Amino acid sequence: MDRASVEETILAVIDCMRASNHCFSKCLQEEDLLMVAECIRLTKECSEVCALALNALETDSAFTKPIAALCAQVCDTCAVECGRHLHDHCQRCSEACLRCAEACRNLVAA
Amino acid sequence: MDRASVEETILAVIDCMRASNHCFSKCLQEEDLLMVAECIRLTKECSEVCALALNALETDSAFTKPIAALCAQVCDTCAVECGRHLHDHCQRCSEACLRCAEACRNLVAA
Amino acid sequence: MDRASVEETILAVIDCMRASNHCFSKCLQEEDLLMVAECIRLTKECSEVCALALNALETDSAFTKPIAALCAQVCDTCAVECGRHLHDHCQRCSEACLRCAEACRNLVAA
Amino acid sequence: MDRASVEETILAVIDCMRASNHCFSKCLQEEDLLMVAECIRLTKECSEVCALALNALETDSAFTKPIAALCAQVCDTCAVECGRHLHDHCQRCSEACLRCAEACRNLVAA
């Protein structure tokens, strides 16, 4: 893994972790909570997996690839769920998740 | 800090972390989500602070006391919020939070 | 996944998380640090993955199986590394890692 | 807390979390491990507290101030320890910790 692609992945993971946490918090303030219940669950799990991926990427972990693969999987699911809602925070989270998933998959394939 | 009281605190923190995560998940399946929205937010934060406290206690961290004090503060708030709801998972979480807060405060005072 | 095997896995993960954190802290106090450098790195990563697995197991996460598979992989590597050292904390960590890896793999296969 | 100062703090915390994890990993590859043993311990604890602070800041947590105060305390200690070593990664970590501690204290005082 070259340093440039690791750095690019780190930035995508940070952006996704931030967007997920923000979406989690904003969803909890929505009126129609039933509609975003799955979003609340997935954004928190997404931010937790991103935090683990960040540690792995930053420390040259031997498990960077399997952790990145898991991160891509969670991000993909979160992107689909958030993408179903029109709230700004959901749409932004969905986009950040897609970019993060793509960056992680590129790293795994490298 | 003697080893016996550290061990007692660790067990209370583990129990609280488990009860908080369980309550978080079960609250997200409740019909009246608006009523438990604050519970969902607090149980997740509680489990995150418990995880940090667990690491500190298990590694003889120099910051065990300030971390335990923070843990007690979050647990107290979570215990009050969960205690307002009659769901089994909320009541059990409230009790686990109270025991954890007390154990953490005892450790800080020791 | 039946509740009994989930509960059994949770207990194995908690034990492994505790043993890993303890081994991390004790290794940092050893005289021959060079010998345990890889152990220090792996025990911390092991405790981080165990924390993620614990959250997944306790919240009936949709990603419990891939997370458990990752946890088994990290635990296996940590068990081999810790198993090479005669310190009590390394030996105990190695055993806890093996039990955790086995419990996680059983869950994945279920 | 105005959004601009929260955003400024978030960026300082992210930078500190990254520098701490990087320093942790690089210290484990140093020849004189005994000299950096305390650094290894503190950088990992620093990155863990930064991760918690990040979650709190991004989710408008009711505990943002006590968590930021704890983060400043851990960062200060880590900055002093890393500042004692001439390795590039230690010096950069020390500076990132100082900036993070200052940003956190400003937020607490706001």
Side-chain angles (χ1 to χ4, degrees), chain B residues 24-35:
Chain B
F24 170 81
S25 178
K26 289 297 178 189
C27 276
L28 279 168
Q29 298 167 43
E30 293 292 340
E31 278 181 39
D32 192 348
L33 275 169
L34 208 59
M35 196 176 72

Side-chain angles (χ1 to χ4, degrees), chain D residues 33-105:
Chain D
L33 275 169
L34 208 57
M35 197 176 70
V36 291
E38 197 56 23
C39 209
I40 293 169
R41 180 186 288 274
L42 282 168
T43 48
K44 193 31 109 171
E45 187 150 37
C46 187
S47 85
E48 290 173 358
V49 174
C50 283
L52 183 73
L54 212 50
N55 284 357
L57 286 158
E58 208 73 76
T59 59
D60 289 317
S61 159
F63 303 100
T64 300
K65 287 199 175 188
I67 289 173
L70 174 69
C71 190
Q73 187 181 357
V74 176
C75 284
D76 275 337
T77 308
C78 192
V80 170
E81 180 58 32
C82 285
R84 293 176 52 226
H85 309 294
L86 296 178
H87 311 303
D88 271 2
H89 51 84
C90 288
Q91 289 293 317
R92 264 182 287 135
C93 183
S94 181
E95 289 161 23
C97 283
L98 285 178
R99 279 193 302 270
C100 182
E102 195 190 357
C104 284
R105 266 191 298 268

Side-chain angles (χ1 to χ4, degrees), chain B residues 50-66:
Chain B
C50 283
L52 183 74
L54 211 50
N55 284 357
L57 285 158
E58 208 74 75
T59 59
D60 289 317
S61 159
F63 302 100
T64 299
K65 287 199 174 187

